Amino acid sequence: MVKKAVTAASGLAVGFLAATVFFGNFSGPAKTTTTAASAKSNAEKVYVPFGQKDEYYLFASGGHSGQLFVYGVPSLRQIRTIPVFSTDSATGYGWDEETKKMLGGYTWGDLHHPAFSETNGDYDGKYLFATDVANSRAAVLDLKTFTTKDILQVPNTSGPHCAAFVTQNTEYLFLPTRFSVPLGSKYESLDDYSTKYRGVMSAVTLDKEKTKLNVAYQVALPPWSYDLSDAGKKESADWAVMTTYNTEEATTNLEINASQADRDYIVLFNWKELEKMVKEGKYEDVGGQKMIFPEKQKGGIYLVPVAKSPHGVDVTPDGKYFIASGKLAPALTVFSFEKAMEAVKKQDFSGERNGIPVLKYESVMEREVNPQNALGPLHTQFDDKGMAYTTMFISSEVVKWNPKTGEVLDRVPVQYSPGHSSAAEGDTVAPDGKYLVSLNKIAKDSYLSVGPSHPESMQLIDIAGKKMEVIQSAPVNPEPHYAQMIKADKIKTINVYPKDENNPLATYKQDQARIERKGNEVHVYGIAMRSKFIFDSKAKRQDVIEVNEGDHVFIHLTNNDRDEDITHGFAINKYNLNIEVQPGQTNTVEFTADKAGTFPIYCTNFCSALHQEMTGYFLVKPKQ
Ligand code: CUK
Ligand code: CUA
């Protein structure tokens, strides 16, 4: 079924707009120019001399690299790459048993929105969540070790783009999806899109004891696309909001067909009410999940009309308002939670869509703001005075404005086409108001040329004063969708993995390093230490593993160096194997010795003056 015929004229108009969106508008605001005097004072603001540390950590999305990048602010120096959804040979991520199992057979992911765990609406520095649009996964990282601890394959769902965002005490992580699919991803004709397809939102909880993610329940939303969402704060803490597009339910050529209606919606839901429904058994079992169908189980979910094709909604730090914009229109719209709650109470509805009540736009809208000539508003961040900073993708600028009055206070050009920006402690109830990093999609002529494709770009903006000032710029890895910036002193890392005497795979004493055989299974309980491997303490050559062709080999390797930063690697030449053991850590690699021959083993991580000597042999006796 074709939902709506597209007239030639409107198709053209939208096509033109889409072309503008696609290419950006570089003739918009003037490019940042730097005088010698301002360059000197900017350099002083961002220079972090050796021996001193950056004031903030910036955890930035690595997009379709599947990784997460950690930068220091204000220096914008990259400190670390943390693999999350993709394999990473630099750290052996995806080769050792634990991380291989977590990746679930996938070798890549598309990480969009990192989110810190929160306590009372403030980043608590303990965990970081992220989702994978490509293969429908969610991950939790432990910030004590900067490592991925669990990856959840989210059932019944397709592309949890709009996440991660957490409620103010990390009760839930809500994962609405970008794509709608039939429940369970089974085959259904696209002609039945409106009746058989659904956009599923998952409510996920974190088990802090085990650092594991679990799906608490799901909601079968209408077959629309859901975009970036945000949880309420303080008085709106029980609520959350997410934007939708393609409420036209177009199934082809979305560029044009999903931009027909003048308005899309913000989905407004009360998670306390959804929780209650689940407790009262008001759900259906779908593939073992508790699924709420809003058209049958009424209450808790409402729609607020919004300018068409919005790309996100952001809640103000005081929890009073939520801000959304149509990404094809110049208008920023401020909505009031108080008004929305009032309208819900009075049942002030203009009708229903797909069985969900629609609140009247006029009843919830607080004000519309139109910064002159600003185009393509995407995402909004906040400072300590409650001022909002919205990125303008098409006109390549950041606009500072006051959500309480609608007054536009300042504008600064960025190079070019910013997606998100990230303010210091910007998603908390108390942002710091110090820095804003503009995450730009296009670098063009900003850096030394590297050919037809250029890096993405971050620009650091000083937002402490009345006027914004771009003070630093850095090329970055793809794809900086979103980042969160946290005060560095909130993060408490460990230096060495503590000894775990209960771990049967760990070997802490050199004389206990051993090779055990059970039929064609070979278990190596080995040690890596400066600057040797001990696989078998009793053998003539302690650093040799000898097996028969076809044997199933498990190598359990413990790093017995208990000094900070002494990491060892373990690789077998031509066996496509590489793991890492951090100080005190034990990791396992499992494989079949399917190639007979002689294969050198070596440590991949430069660990000492005799690192080059940290080698051994893997000997595979051929089958007779
Ligand atoms: S999205 Cu990429 S700029 Cu995934 Cu938040 Cu808006
Ligand atoms: Cu151990 Cu290099």
Side-chain angles (χ1 to χ4, degrees):
M1 176 181 59
V2 177
K3 288 297 290 184
K4 255 154 212 142
V6 178
T7 65
S10 73
L12 260 182
V14 176
F16 171 75
L17 196 46
T20 321
V21 173
F22 188 71
F23 293 112
N25 175 9
F26 303 114
S27 60
K31 203 174 161 177
T32 314
T33 44
T34 316
T35 63
S38 71
K40 185 169 175 287
S41 87
N42 290 349
E44 279 165 3
K45 283 186 194 162
V46 300
Y47 181 58
V48 179
F50 189 74
Q52 289 178 30
K53 307 272 169 70
D54 277 298
E55 193 180 347
Y56 293 91
Y57 284 102
L58 182 77
F59 286 77
S61 138
H64 46 296
S65 77
Q67 299 170 325
L68 197 104
F69 302 114
V70 185
Y71 302 91
V73 173
S75 74
L76 292 193
R77 292 188 289 224
Q78 190 185 347
I79 303 167
R80 190 71 169 164
T81 297
I82 309 175
V84 183
F85 296 117
S86 299
T87 58
D88 176 45
S89 61
T91 51
Y93 187 82
W95 276 270
D96 66 79
E97 278 314 290
E98 195 184 329
T99 57
K100 193 160 86 184
K101 218 157 95 205
M102 271 193 323
L103 283 176
Y106 294 108
T107 55
W108 80 289
D110 189 1
L111 189 160
H112 279 235
H113 304 105
F116 291 116
S117 54
E118 293 182 14
T119 302
N120 299 326
D122 195 13
Y123 303 152
D124 57 25
K126 292 196 170 121
Y127 304 98
L128 188 82
F129 305 98
T131 53
D132 169 24
V133 180
N135 295 309
S136 301
R137 295 173 292 172
V140 56
L141 280 72
D142 188 339
L143 295 176
K144 284 201 293 292
T145 53
F146 280 48
T147 55
T148 306
K149 281 292 176 201
D150 188 33
I151 296 182
L152 171 78
Q153 179 82 51
V154 191
N156 292 325
T157 203
S158 216
H161 171 236
C162 334
F165 69 103
V166 298
T167 52
Q168 69 174 10
N169 284 301
T170 321
E171 294 95 339
Y172 289 100
L173 175 70
F174 288 105
L175 316 179
T177 62
R178 174 170 172 185
F179 310 107
S180 282
V181 292
L183 293 177
S185 292
K186 57 176 196 245
Y187 171 82
E188 292 289 354
S189 166
L190 278 164
D191 292 341
D192 299 326
Y193 184 84
S194 293
T195 52
K196 300 270 172 71
Y197 285 56
R198 288 291 188 142
V200 170
M201 179 184 79
S202 308
V204 169
T205 54
L206 172 70
D207 177 340
K208 288 186 182 163
E209 287 280 294
K210 300 189 188 124
T211 330
K212 285 261 171 237
L213 298 171
N214 300 297
V215 179
Y217 60 89
Q218 298 186 308
V219 185
L221 293 166
W224 306 336
S225 288
Y226 299 85
D227 217 321
L228 191 68
S229 317
D230 205 357
K233 295 178 169 78
K234 297 184 178 175
E235 63 200 62
S236 59
D238 298 352
W239 295 82
V241 278
M242 57 183 138
T243 49
T244 64
Y245 61 99
N246 193 20
T247 55
E248 292 87 347
E249 299 175 15
T251 55
T252 183
N253 197 4
L254 262 57
E255 180 185 42
I256 290 168
N257 294 340
S259 308
Q260 294 305 300
D262 279 340
R263 294 226 186 272
D264 285 304
Y265 301 101
I266 291 170
V267 181
L268 171 77
F269 66 93
N270 184 306
W271 57 268
K272 284 269 167 76
E273 280 189 37
L274 298 183
E275 206 174 46
K276 204 168 125 227
M277 274 184 209
V278 173
K279 279 207 188 99
E280 291 168 357
K282 293 181 180 158
Y283 59 81
E284 288 171 33
D285 184 300
V286 176
Q289 301 300 321
K290 299 178 173 106
M291 186 77 71
I292 296 173
F293 287 84
E295 71 273 29
K296 295 181 203 159
Q297 285 103 21
K298 296 279 180 185
I301 305 182
Y302 307 91
L303 300 174
V304 181
V306 63
K308 73 170 158 189
S309 305
H311 181 50
V313 52
D314 295 285
V315 175
T316 53
D318 58 13
K320 287 187 187 319
Y321 306 101
F322 49 103
I323 295 166
S325 348
K327 66 176 175 266
L328 303 177
L332 309 160
T333 315
V334 182
F335 297 91
S336 156
F337 268 115
E338 197 185 324
K339 287 185 179 174
M341 293 179 215
E342 194 56 33
V344 167
K345 214 192 285 161
K346 286 199 196 131
Q347 308 231 319
D348 186 8
F349 307 139
S350 65
E352 270 191 3
R353 257 311 289 272
N354 300 47
I356 306 176
V358 180
L359 300 172
K360 287 200 192 100
Y361 176 78
E362 299 73 28
S363 315
V364 186
M365 192 266 292
E366 182 77 20
R367 66 176 47 84
E368 289 175 352
V369 182
N370 279 282
Q372 231 192 352
N373 299 326
L375 274 180
L378 292 189
H379 301 289
T380 300
Q381 286 276 281
F382 304 94
D383 68 13
D384 54 334
K385 296 173 190 76
M387 298 304 120
Y389 298 78
T390 302
T391 47
M392 298 287 168
F393 183 83
I394 302 175
S395 55
S396 287
E397 60 183 324
V398 175
V399 173
K400 174 180 177 180
W401 57 287
N402 185 338
K404 295 217 166 81
T405 62
E407 192 189 352
V408 174
L409 302 165
D410 192 24
R411 299 163 69 155
V412 70
V414 290
Q415 285 71 43
Y416 301 88
S417 299
H420 285 262
S421 71
S422 172
E425 302 264 323
D427 290 304
T428 68
V429 291
D432 278 1
K434 216 163 173 182
Y435 297 113
L436 182 90
V437 173
S438 173
L439 301 155
N440 309 325
K441 298 298 187 183
I442 311 278
K444 291 257 177 188
D445 52 1
S446 304
Y447 311 105
L448 287 176
S449 175
V450 288
S453 173
H454 292 256
E456 277 68 45
S457 176
M458 290 197 302
Q459 280 175 301
L460 180 67
I461 303 174
D462 180 348
I463 57 167
K466 273 209 166 80
K467 288 271 163 201
M468 293 179 279
E469 208 184 340
V470 176
I471 55 173
Q472 180 67 304
S473 170
V476 292
N477 289 301
E479 167 84 52
H481 288 283
Y482 190 46
Q484 278 193 335
M485 202 193 305
I486 188 171
K487 204 87 203 286
D489 60 15
K490 281 187 176 175
I491 290 187
K492 311 263 184 263
T493 53
I494 57 165
N495 293 342
V496 175
Y497 279 91
K499 265 193 191 172
D500 179 5
E501 304 286 358
N502 296 323
N503 180 358
L505 307 178
T507 308
Y508 295 113
K509 295 204 177 83
Q510 292 186 34
D511 63 1
Q512 282 172 12
R514 66 200 184 276
I515 299 179
E516 290 176 1
R517 284 166 208 282
K518 293 177 210 149
N520 70 343
E521 250 187 33
V522 179
H523 284 264
V524 179
Y525 297 88
I527 287 173
M529 56 188 283
R530 274 170 294 181
S531 300
K532 63 182 171 195
F533 291 110
I534 307 174
F535 301 123
D536 186 349
S537 56
K538 309 280 182 304
K540 181 161 81 176
R541 297 183 184 88
Q542 299 190 339
D543 47 13
V544 170
I545 302 169
E546 190 163 329
V547 302
N548 299 314
E549 185 181 356
D551 276 352
H552 201 64
V553 184
F554 297 80
I555 295 167
H556 315 288
L557 194 65
T558 300
N559 182 343
N560 260 1
D561 282 312
R562 310 199 62 79
D563 281 357
E564 184 168 15
D565 201 20
I566 304 301
T567 293
H568 298 288
F570 171 91
I572 302 180
N573 199 230
K574 290 187 214 160
Y575 251 88
N576 194 31
L577 283 178
N578 172 42
I579 64 166
E580 152 182 302
V581 274
Q582 295 184 9
Q585 195 183 27
T586 301
N587 265 331
T588 296
V589 60
E590 177 190 341
F591 63 101
T592 302
D594 50 10
K595 275 189 292 226
T598 301
F599 306 95
I601 292 170
Y602 76 106
C603 169
T604 44
N605 214 309
F606 216 108
C607 52
S608 73
L610 296 175
H611 152 82
Q612 206 71 357
E613 279 75 4
M614 190 165 172
T615 61
Y617 279 97
F618 181 57
L619 301 175
V620 185
K621 265 195 220 153
K623 275 194 184 131
Q624 294 311 317

Coordinates of all heavy atoms in Angstrom, one line a residue, residues 528-533 561 566-569 602-608 610-612 614, ligand 2:
A528 N 52.5 -14.8 31.7 CA 53.2 -13.8 30.9 C 53.8 -12.8 32.0 O 53.2 -12.4 32.9 CB 52.3 -13.0 30.0
M529 N 55.1 -12.6 31.9 CA 55.8 -11.7 32.8 C 57.0 -11.2 32.1 O 57.5 -11.7 31.1 CB 56.2 -12.5 34.1 CG 57.1 -13.7 33.9 SD 57.4 -14.7 35.3 CE 58.6 -13.6 36.1
R530 N 57.5 -10.0 32.7 CA 58.7 -9.5 32.1 C 59.9 -10.4 32.2 O 60.3 -10.7 33.3 CB 59.1 -8.1 32.7 CG 58.4 -7.0 32.1 CD 58.5 -5.7 32.8 NE 57.9 -5.8 34.1 CZ 57.8 -4.8 35.0 NH1 58.4 -3.7 34.8 NH2 57.2 -5.0 36.2
S531 N 60.5 -10.9 31.2 CA 60.2 -10.8 29.8 C 60.1 -12.2 29.2 O 60.9 -12.5 28.3 CB 61.2 -9.9 29.0 OG 61.3 -8.7 29.6
K532 N 59.2 -13.0 29.7 CA 59.1 -14.3 29.2 C 57.7 -14.9 29.3 O 56.9 -14.4 30.1 CB 60.1 -15.3 29.9 CG 59.8 -15.4 31.4 CD 60.9 -16.3 32.0 CE 60.8 -16.2 33.5 NZ 62.0 -16.8 34.2
F533 N 57.4 -16.0 28.6 CA 56.2 -16.8 28.8 C 56.6 -18.1 29.5 O 57.7 -18.7 29.2 CB 55.6 -17.2 27.4 CG 55.0 -16.1 26.7 CD1 55.6 -15.6 25.5 CD2 53.9 -15.5 27.1 CE1 55.1 -14.6 24.7 CE2 53.3 -14.4 26.3 CZ 53.9 -14.0 25.1
D561 N 52.8 -9.6 36.2 CA 53.4 -8.3 36.5 C 52.3 -7.5 37.2 O 51.2 -7.3 36.7 CB 53.9 -7.6 35.3 CG 55.2 -8.2 34.8 OD1 56.1 -8.3 35.7 OD2 55.4 -8.5 33.6
I566 N 52.1 -2.4 32.7 CA 52.9 -3.4 32.0 C 52.0 -4.5 31.5 O 51.6 -5.5 32.1 CB 53.9 -4.1 33.0 CG1 54.8 -3.0 33.6 CG2 54.8 -5.1 32.3 CD1 55.6 -2.2 32.6
T567 N 51.6 -4.3 30.2 CA 50.6 -5.1 29.5 C 51.4 -6.0 28.6 O 52.4 -5.6 28.0 CB 49.6 -4.3 28.8 OG1 48.8 -3.6 29.7 CG2 48.7 -5.1 27.9
H568 N 51.0 -7.3 28.6 CA 51.7 -8.2 27.6 C 50.7 -8.7 26.5 O 49.5 -8.7 26.8 CB 52.2 -9.5 28.3 CG 53.2 -9.2 29.3 ND1 54.5 -8.8 29.0 CD2 53.2 -9.3 30.7 CE1 55.2 -8.7 30.1 NE2 54.5 -8.9 31.1
G569 N 51.2 -9.0 25.4 CA 50.3 -9.5 24.3 C 50.7 -11.0 24.1 O 51.8 -11.4 24.6
Y602 N 54.8 -14.7 20.1 CA 55.5 -13.5 20.6 C 54.6 -12.6 21.4 O 53.4 -12.6 21.2 CB 56.3 -12.8 19.5 CG 55.5 -11.9 18.5 CD1 55.5 -10.6 18.6 CD2 54.7 -12.5 17.6 CE1 54.7 -9.8 17.8 CE2 53.9 -11.8 16.7 CZ 53.9 -10.4 16.8 OH 53.2 -9.6 15.9
C603 N 55.2 -11.7 22.2 CA 54.5 -10.7 22.9 C 54.3 -9.5 22.0 O 55.3 -9.0 21.5 CB 55.2 -10.3 24.2 SG 54.5 -8.9 25.0
T604 N 53.1 -9.1 21.8 CA 52.8 -8.0 20.9 C 52.9 -6.6 21.5 O 52.9 -5.6 20.8 CB 51.4 -8.1 20.3 OG1 50.5 -8.4 21.3 CG2 51.3 -9.2 19.2
N605 N 52.9 -6.5 22.8 CA 52.9 -5.3 23.5 C 54.3 -4.9 24.1 O 54.8 -5.7 24.9 CB 51.9 -5.4 24.6 CG 51.1 -4.1 24.8 OD1 51.7 -3.0 25.0 ND2 49.8 -4.1 24.8
F606 N 54.9 -3.8 23.7 CA 56.2 -3.5 24.1 C 56.3 -3.4 25.6 O 55.7 -2.4 26.2 CB 56.8 -2.3 23.4 CG 58.2 -2.4 23.1 CD1 58.7 -2.6 21.8 CD2 59.2 -2.4 24.1 CE1 60.0 -2.7 21.5 CE2 60.5 -2.5 23.9 CZ 60.9 -2.7 22.6
C607 N 56.9 -4.3 26.3 CA 56.8 -4.3 27.8 C 58.1 -4.1 28.6 O 58.0 -3.9 29.8 CB 56.2 -5.7 28.2 SG 57.0 -7.1 27.5
S608 N 59.2 -4.3 27.9 CA 60.5 -4.1 28.7 C 61.6 -4.0 27.7 O 61.4 -4.2 26.5 CB 60.7 -5.3 29.6 OG 61.1 -6.4 28.8
L610 N 63.7 -6.1 27.2 CA 63.9 -7.5 26.6 C 62.5 -8.0 26.0 O 62.3 -9.2 25.9 CB 64.4 -8.4 27.6 CG 65.9 -8.0 28.1 CD1 66.4 -9.0 29.2 CD2 66.9 -8.0 26.9
H611 N 61.7 -7.0 25.7 CA 60.4 -7.4 25.0 C 60.6 -8.2 23.8 O 59.9 -9.2 23.5 CB 59.6 -6.1 24.7 CG 58.7 -6.2 23.5 ND1 57.4 -6.7 23.7 CD2 58.8 -5.9 22.2 CE1 56.8 -6.7 22.5 NE2 57.7 -6.2 21.6
Q612 N 61.6 -7.9 23.0 CA 61.9 -8.6 21.8 C 62.2 -10.0 22.0 O 62.0 -10.9 21.2 CB 63.1 -7.8 21.1 CG 63.1 -8.0 19.6 CD 62.0 -7.3 18.9 OE1 61.1 -6.6 19.5 NE2 62.0 -7.3 17.6
M614 N 60.8 -11.8 24.3 CA 59.6 -12.5 24.9 C 58.9 -13.3 23.8 O 57.9 -12.8 23.3 CB 58.7 -11.4 25.6 CG 57.6 -12.1 26.4 SD 56.8 -10.9 27.5 CE 55.4 -11.9 28.1
Ligands
CUA2 CU1 55.6 -8.8 27.1 CU2 56.3 -7.5 25.3

